[in-house]
Amino acid sequence: MTMDLFSQLPAEPWTEELSPGAMVLHHYVQDQVLSLLSDVAEITHVAPFRHLVTPGGYRMSVAMSNCGSVGWVSDKQGYRYSSIDPLTQKRWPAMPDRFLTLAILAAREAGFTDFQPDACLINRYDVGAKLSLHQDKDELDLRQPIVSVSLGLPAIFQFGGLSREAKCQRVLLSEGDVVVWGGPSRLNYHGVLPIKAGFSPSTGAYRVNLTFRHTGHTEKR
């Protein structure tokens, strides 16, 4: 009886440094999961999840949406930020206050005190979906960090170096974990290995990821 009670208690937050300027805030938003997912549901009701196509013509395995002043999009014309959702031809939904507060506080926890995100990429991973190694470099101001929040099924996060060939660390990300990277690690390659089958009480058979960025494209239309 006592063991059952303790097993349901939230895990204690702890930090894991990946490299200078990069760290994992384990269990950082464990108590906000359902509220964050409620916001995701409202956003994706207006801007539905969709599978984007890469400039090379490949369909991405991760389903995606956005909120904020601009959203990240991809098609055969290239990767870019746009204030208009190409699916609905309307502006992306506004970023919820809860999202903004979370991103600012997590960045501050990692030592980035002036982070003001203008975009949140929302990714939904089905079983088998993955994100190949890549750099986040479509933003105009690379002095600002990236803040990434994990919800639902666990994932193996790969965090490498400044070249694709650099050795990658593999980090297990559980629901409520937040990864922040910036400074000398801002352009490090990173990705997500294929999601394994499982069940999450909050998301079912999916992983949901929120990625906050300051793009500098806010005024572009």
Side-chain angles (χ1 to χ4, degrees), residues 112-131:
F112 301 98
T113 58
D114 59 350
F115 184 50
Q116 289 292 329
D118 55 15
C120 176
L121 286 59
I122 306 172
N123 290 334
R124 187 187 67 193
Y125 293 74
D126 199 349
V127 173
K130 64 179 182 179
L131 200 60

Side-chain angles (χ1 to χ4, degrees), residues 32-38 40-41 49 122-127 149-155 174-176 195-210:
Q32 300 181 47
V33 168
L34 295 182
S35 297
L36 294 170
L37 288 171
S38 176
V40 168
F49 282 115
I122 306 172
N123 290 334
R124 187 187 67 193
Y125 293 74
D126 199 349
V127 173
V149 181
S150 291
L151 307 169
L153 289 179
S174 301
E175 185 168 68
I195 300 298
K196 293 184 178 180
F199 177 79
S200 164
S202 59
T203 63
Y206 297 100
R207 173 183 188 251
V208 174
N209 176 249
L210 312 176

Side-chain angles (χ1 to χ4, degrees), residues 15-81:
T15 61
E16 177 182 5
E17 184 175 3
L18 301 179
S19 65
M23 67 172 57
V24 184
L25 308 174
H26 289 283
H27 313 305
Y28 187 74
V29 292
Q30 191 172 343
D31 60 344
Q32 300 181 47
V33 168
L34 295 182
S35 297
L36 294 170
L37 288 171
S38 176
D39 287 338
V40 168
E42 291 188 18
I43 292 164
T44 54
H45 178 72
V46 177
F49 282 115
R50 78 292 306 264
H51 292 271
L52 298 176
V53 175
T54 69
Y58 295 99
R59 177 181 182 269
M60 296 178 67
S61 64
V62 175
M64 188 176 194
S65 185
N66 294 275
C67 67
S69 300
V70 292
W72 187 86
V73 298
S74 173
D75 54 28
K76 292 183 179 181
Q77 298 177 0
Y79 304 123
R80 62 193 180 280
Y81 284 100

Side-chain angles (χ1 to χ4, degrees), residues 63-104:
M64 188 176 194
S65 185
N66 294 275
C67 67
S69 300
V70 292
W72 187 86
V73 298
S74 173
D75 54 28
K76 292 183 179 181
Q77 298 177 0
Y79 304 123
R80 62 193 180 280
Y81 284 100
S82 172
S83 62
I84 301 299
D85 178 352
L87 184 64
T88 66
Q89 292 300 309
K90 297 179 180 179
R91 295 189 67 88
W92 296 102
M95 188 182 301
D97 289 341
R98 187 177 1 250
F99 279 25
L100 184 62
T101 299
L102 159 60
I104 291 172

Side-chain angles (χ1 to χ4, degrees), residues 114-176:
D114 59 350
F115 184 50
Q116 289 292 329
D118 55 15
C120 176
L121 286 59
I122 306 172
N123 290 334
R124 187 187 67 193
Y125 293 74
D126 199 349
V127 173
K130 64 179 182 179
L131 200 60
S132 300
L133 284 177
H134 66 284
Q135 295 171 299
D136 291 339
K137 57 183 181 181
D138 296 323
E139 299 74 37
L140 295 179
D141 186 356
L142 297 179
R143 297 171 300 177
Q144 296 276 358
I146 303 291
V147 175
S148 177
V149 181
S150 291
L151 307 169
L153 289 179
I156 301 297
F157 179 64
Q158 293 183 291
F159 195 74
L162 294 175
S163 70
R164 191 182 297 275
E165 295 73 26
K167 184 177 179 180
C168 287
Q169 302 177 65
R170 293 187 174 185
V171 183
L172 174 63
L173 296 180
S174 301
E175 185 168 68

